[in-house]
Amino acid sequence: MATAIAVALLLSGCAPSATPTAHSADPSPTVSVPAFMASEQGDIDRLPDGVADGMRIDPRTTRYQGDWDGRQVFLGVKSAGSVCLVMTTANDPSKWTAACGDGNGVVTDELPNGTTAKYLPMATKAAPEGWTRLSDFVFVM
């Protein structure tokens, strides 16, 4: 009887088809590097001293994306691998905002005046309907 049950399980796909593979007891997570970091960081990409550290963003990861509606827009990565949209206004460069996502996913930052910026993790040439393309990765409205 036990043999008949084992055969039935095997034929129904309920039995393992191969020996399970042993995994490390302490796996290391895989973190993908955001595509916007493919370019070397230049002087224009760097935030003023202390700004990135104050936001817990790795200063080596910031990249300038452009100016829009009186704001400078940057991307950066927190130490945990989360991508952040970082913005300041041209008329008060002492005020910085950051909106961070979960890993390398879409990030949206809406400011009190209705200005909205969105980070898309894959380079996109065409702007979604109603949005303006600021860079390959950032769209604004």
Side-chain angles (χ1 to χ4, degrees):
M1 178 72 162
T3 304
I5 292 173
V7 169
L9 285 174
L10 185 61
L11 292 175
S12 70
C14 293
S17 59
T19 306
T21 306
H23 294 283
S24 168
D26 188 21
S28 59
T30 302
V31 177
S32 65
V33 175
F36 72 85
M37 288 183 52
S39 61
E40 278 295 311
Q41 185 184 48
D43 289 339
I44 195 168
D45 298 317
R46 291 181 178 86
L47 301 179
D49 289 342
V51 172
D53 292 334
M55 295 181 177
R56 297 189 179 140
I57 294 172
D58 181 345
R60 299 168 299 171
T61 67
T62 57
R63 301 294 187 276
Y64 174 73
Q65 300 298 300
D67 285 349
W68 184 76
D69 196 30
R71 289 176 171 67
Q72 291 180 314
V73 182
F74 297 80
L75 291 172
V77 180
K78 282 193 154 191
S79 58
S82 297
V83 172
C84 300
L85 270 165
V86 182
M87 292 189 275
T88 190
T89 59
N91 62 356
D92 190 356
S94 67
K95 293 185 179 178
W96 290 85
T97 63
C100 303
D102 185 20
N104 190 24
V106 174
V107 179
T108 303
D109 189 9
E110 185 172 344
L111 300 176
N113 70 352
T115 299
T116 303
K118 184 179 291 270
Y119 162 71
L120 301 176
M122 297 178 70
T124 307
K125 297 293 181 192
E129 189 173 335
W131 292 81
T132 300
R133 180 179 177 271
L134 191 60
S135 71
D136 285 350
F137 305 98
V138 176
F139 298 85
V140 292
M141 70 183 300

